[in-house]
Amino acid sequence: MLVNYLSYLITEVPIPDLLQGWYHYGILSDLLGDGIFAVDGEKWLHQKKVSSNELTTKIVKDFSSTVFKTNALKLARIISEAATCNKAMEIQELFMKATLDSIVKILLGIELDTMDGTNEEGTRFAHAFDVANEMTIYRYVDFSWKIKRFLNIGSEALLRKNIKVIDQFVYNLIKIKIETDNSSEDELALKKEDIISRLLESQETDPKYLRDLILCLISAGKDTTASTLTWFIYMLCKHPHIQEKVAQEVREATNLEDSSCIDEVAASLTEEALEKMQYLHAALSETLRLYPAVPLAGPRICIGKDFAYRQTKLICAVLLGCYKFKLSEEKKVAHYLTKISLHIDGGLYVHASPRP
Ligand code: HEM
């Protein structure tokens, strides 16, 4: 609460335009380096061009749809297990893991697998990334952060420790990518679908530049999409007739029988089928209007908008095509928690039951 109030006060304090960039850079650059969120001017323009170009290229679009589908299926199987035992599950954390696994696979081509927890190093990176983000945002309300950084104590010591874990993980992956790229004799044999492999081909080989770009895109794409999905499921539980309409639309757009299994639903989710789901699109947009995932939104335009809609629509279509969701405590009202994005305080506990 105090953090919410202070962050409100801070955003209301006028900072002269010329100092804004310098002020944010000071706070964000330890974690995000010279990535798109921390910089202005030429550097920002360059990163914006590179990132939007990559996110809209056909190869990356096709690859990302496959990744979204694979992870939506994994999510559906986890939900299926809980549904079989009639067990409540905390779905916000599951969405956070699913969106992290997806963005890391699309950026780096590796399986982080935080959903099943099979990659120990990946799980350590995911935890370090969350802590480092939180400690970085905390700087906006902690006027003593520079002294703490100098003395390496408290939140700043925690930040430094976690940035070290992040850097080790990311730089190691970049090194492996560069070595694989150089040693590949038959270029055609290696399918270069992930963003870093593609950038290496276009001669963007500076590890620091790639590290900053990766961390900014993970920051941009993970919690935002996951918290939107969580609020959406919350809204559908509060308005069951809308949940039914969305499920009905999924069946119609995919021409599926009521008895279709999870794999059949996922396989039928083509670009054309998703395009037909206008009601789902509108319901997601209304959720974003009511619960904006980026509550303190600056003046820039989101370059991942289509990417985020494709991912949320695909996950929702798989889940709502196969399951009915109910809040574990039906009367419970969700409250928000402002982090870098708008989370549900305490998570969202739901029960799922298979659709007949
Ligand atoms: C529901 C999901 C999302 C929401 C609500 C959202 C919202 C926003 C907002 C409000 C901004 C402007 C921030 C500012 O002016 O300071 C922004 C910027 C940005 N978003 Fe998103 N975003 C989402 C998903 C994504 C995804 C999935 C990606 C990429 C994978 C992405 C990449 C970016 C980038 C790179 C910027 C910075 C653009 C710039 O500096 O010019 N976003 N987003």
Side-chain angles (χ1 to χ4, degrees):
M1 192 64 191
L2 179 68
V3 171
N4 277 351
Y5 179 62
L6 284 173
S7 61
Y8 167 76
L9 275 185
I10 280 166
T11 51
E12 292 301 298
V13 174
I15 301 172
D17 278 354
L18 266 175
L19 293 181
Q20 287 253 14
W22 167 82
Y23 173 70
H24 292 300
Y25 185 78
I27 288 181
L28 301 174
S29 60
D30 281 335
L31 176 63
L32 300 178
D34 285 345
I36 189 165
F37 287 127
V39 293
D40 284 320
E42 283 296 310
K43 277 187 180 170
W44 166 74
L45 196 61
H46 174 75
Q47 299 234 3
K48 185 176 160 151
K49 275 189 193 158
V50 171
S51 308
S52 14
N53 195 26
E54 284 304 320
L55 292 174
T56 49
T57 298
K58 182 156 180 356
I59 295 184
V60 175
K61 267 178 93 174
D62 291 348
F63 179 50
S64 54
S65 290
T66 311
V67 172
F68 295 153
K69 230 182 249 189
T70 308
N71 285 330
L73 271 173
K74 242 187 202 178
L75 201 55
R77 295 212 173 92
I78 294 173
I79 290 172
S80 170
E81 277 170 31
T84 310
C85 328
N86 194 23
K87 215 169 84 184
M89 69 201 135
E90 203 287 274
I91 206 162
Q92 180 164 257
E93 190 57 28
L94 270 179
F95 284 145
M96 294 287 165
K97 289 178 175 173
T99 52
L100 177 65
D101 287 353
S102 296
I103 188 81
V104 168
K105 176 86 182 180
I106 293 157
L107 283 167
L108 290 152
I110 64 142
E111 234 29 277
L112 207 57
D113 200 21
T114 57
M115 264 193 284
D116 287 334
T118 56
N119 177 344
E120 210 177 295
E121 226 189 320
T123 306
R124 224 156 61 88
F125 162 77
H127 177 72
F129 188 74
D130 282 345
V131 176
N133 261 298
E134 204 162 316
M135 293 306 109
T136 299
I137 294 307
Y138 187 61
R139 284 180 172 180
Y140 279 102
V141 293
D142 179 8
F143 300 107
S144 60
W145 73 264
K146 285 193 178 173
I147 299 168
K148 286 186 187 161
R149 181 171 68 168
F150 179 72
L151 298 172
N152 193 25
I153 53 169
S155 52
E156 287 298 315
L158 200 57
L159 177 61
R160 188 173 295 182
K161 189 174 126 200
N162 283 286
I163 290 179
K164 213 170 151 191
V165 175
I166 294 170
D167 280 350
Q168 261 172 5
F169 182 79
V170 174
Y171 278 127
N172 187 37
L173 283 173
I174 294 172
K175 189 167 153 259
I176 293 170
K177 285 262 157 208
I178 293 177
E179 284 167 4
T180 321
D181 197 60
N182 290 341
S183 65
S184 146
E185 286 181 4
D186 181 2
E187 281 191 20
L188 286 176
L190 264 176
K191 232 175 157 193
K192 298 194 170 153
E193 295 171 310
D194 64 272
I195 293 180
I196 293 306
S197 296
R198 289 172 44 77
L199 289 177
L200 286 173
E201 272 206 320
S202 65
Q203 311 305 318
E204 296 278 12
T205 54
D206 174 16
K208 167 80 168 65
Y209 170 86
L210 295 173
R211 175 248 183 235
D212 296 349
L213 185 135
I214 290 168
L215 292 186
C216 273
L217 286 180
I218 297 179
S219 279
K222 172 187 168 275
D223 289 12
T224 47
T225 313
S227 53
T228 302
L229 282 164
T230 314
W231 285 107
F232 184 60
I233 295 292
Y234 171 71
M235 289 307 279
L236 294 187
C237 290
K238 288 285 179 194
H239 304 278
H241 63 291
I242 309 248
Q243 184 169 166
E244 287 315 303
K245 274 191 173 183
V246 172
Q248 181 64 28
E249 188 186 57
V250 171
R251 298 276 155 175
E252 281 167 14
T254 50
N255 293 322
L256 283 168
E257 302 290 318
D258 280 353
S259 57
S260 308
C261 68
I262 305 172
D263 292 277
E264 286 168 334
V265 175
S268 65
L269 290 170
T270 57
E271 287 294 317
E272 297 72 48
L274 287 178
E275 213 34 61
K276 280 189 205 157
M277 296 177 198
Q278 293 299 313
Y279 189 80
L280 171 59
H281 194 99
L284 278 165
S285 305
E286 179 62 0
T287 304
L288 273 165
R289 185 183 73 81
L290 293 169
Y291 302 104
V294 185
L296 307 168
R300 296 181 181 176
I301 288 175
C302 177
I303 58 169
K305 182 169 155 260
D306 293 341
F307 187 93
Y309 266 115
R310 215 149 28 85
Q311 180 170 16
T312 44
K313 282 176 83 170
L314 226 148
I315 291 181
C316 289
V318 172
L319 298 191
L320 296 160
C322 303
Y323 302 100
K324 245 184 206 177
F325 289 90
K326 269 188 180 173
L327 292 183
S328 296
E329 288 175 57
E330 286 192 30
K331 297 222 159 26
K332 190 162 177 166
V333 176
H335 295 285
Y336 64 79
L337 175 74
T338 311
K339 288 192 167 186
I340 223 167
S341 62
L342 203 70
H343 289 221
I344 290 188
D345 197 1
L348 185 70
Y349 286 85
V350 292
H351 272 92
S353 53
R355 286 194 173 272

